[in-house]
Every structure is written in C-alpha cells, then in structure tokens.
Amino acid sequence: MVRATATSVEKYLRDLSHPRKGEIEELRAAILENIPQITERVKWNAPSFCVAGDDRITFRLQPGDRVELVFHRGAKKRTDTDTFSFSDPSELIQWSTPDRGIVTFRDHEDVRNKLPALVEVASRWINATKE
C-alpha cells in the first residue's frame, strides 16, 4: 500500500464536501499541533493519524450529521485485547471493545467544549498504543 502524506490529506480535505468540514479541520489541526510524533494519511476514506505507520486515531465521516474519531490499535488482529486497558477519565470515548472506541462530535459547539479533553486523551492514547 502506498502511504499517503500530509499533502494528500490536505488535498483530500480540500476536495471534501461534508456538512461538518469546519469541525473536521479544527479537530485535525488541534491533534497535529499537540501530538508532534504522529503522521497522517487517508484510511477508510478519511484522515487517519499514525505512529510509525500504524493507524491509531481515524476520522469516521459517515453519516454526515456528525464527526467521529475512532481510537484503535491498527488494522492487524491483536492477541492482547483482553489484557490491554486504557483509562479515559474524561469519559469522551465510548468503548466498543477494550481497545477500540469512538468520540463523537455533533457540531462546532461540541468540538469547542470537548477539544481540551480530546487533545489530552488523544495524546495519552498515542503514547499508550505505540509499540
């Protein structure tokens, strides 16, 4: 697979028609500004943040009435999901499995209210899941 660069993410976003595009751009900028060790690419037809080429936080843009960030540990099946744990004191993440969860943003006000906690939990997630 060819790895996309920030330039291709920027092109993807420039061409994106989405009712929450402003929120997407605000979330992306905050994460990139506050977590310097990440890179990004397009995955699942959306921007994704990576560490050492492994996806860790990926936008989910459908349905278009909200923006979601999927916190995960990459595409490979993990054998340690029953022993992995991550504490989210902010309770932003809604967990579907012990190592996969979603943070949902309904609108710009929701982004603004959750952004400080999101940056903190995203930074902790990146550090907890890098290998």
Side-chain angles (χ1 to χ4, degrees):
M1 173 179 5
V2 176
R3 182 172 165 171
T5 64
T7 304
S8 62
V9 173
E10 290 166 4
K11 180 186 180 324
Y12 171 86
L13 289 173
R14 195 171 41 249
D15 296 342
L16 179 66
S17 176
H18 191 283
R20 299 284 176 222
K21 186 173 181 175
E23 289 89 336
I24 295 164
E25 291 172 335
E26 185 174 356
L27 290 163
R28 176 181 177 252
I31 291 171
L32 288 173
E33 180 180 315
N34 288 286
I35 309 174
Q37 70 266 35
I38 62 171
T39 58
E40 60 180 341
R41 65 179 176 172
V42 176
K43 175 185 176 145
W44 302 336
N45 199 30
S48 185
F49 302 104
C50 309
V51 174
D54 292 324
D55 298 285
R56 292 294 179 253
I57 302 172
T58 303
F59 279 93
R60 182 171 154 199
L61 304 180
Q62 298 302 326
D65 65 335
R66 62 186 172 264
V67 174
E68 296 177 339
L69 286 173
V70 180
F71 285 62
H72 57 96
R73 294 172 59 203
K76 296 177 186 171
K77 181 149 176 70
R78 307 290 303 219
T79 59
D80 63 344
T81 55
D82 55 343
T83 59
F84 177 81
S85 67
F86 180 79
S87 173
D88 173 19
S90 68
E91 299 183 347
L92 287 179
I93 302 173
Q94 300 299 305
W95 299 102
S96 55
T97 68
D99 65 346
R100 182 182 173 91
I102 297 174
V103 179
T104 301
F105 303 90
R106 300 280 175 209
D107 53 32
H108 182 68
E109 182 178 348
D110 200 25
V111 169
R112 194 173 49 236
N113 291 336
K114 293 177 180 175
L115 198 56
L118 172 74
V119 168
E120 190 275 330
V121 76
S123 180
R124 290 183 48 251
W125 179 260
I126 294 297
N127 287 326
T129 61
K130 66 183 178 185
E131 292 163 45

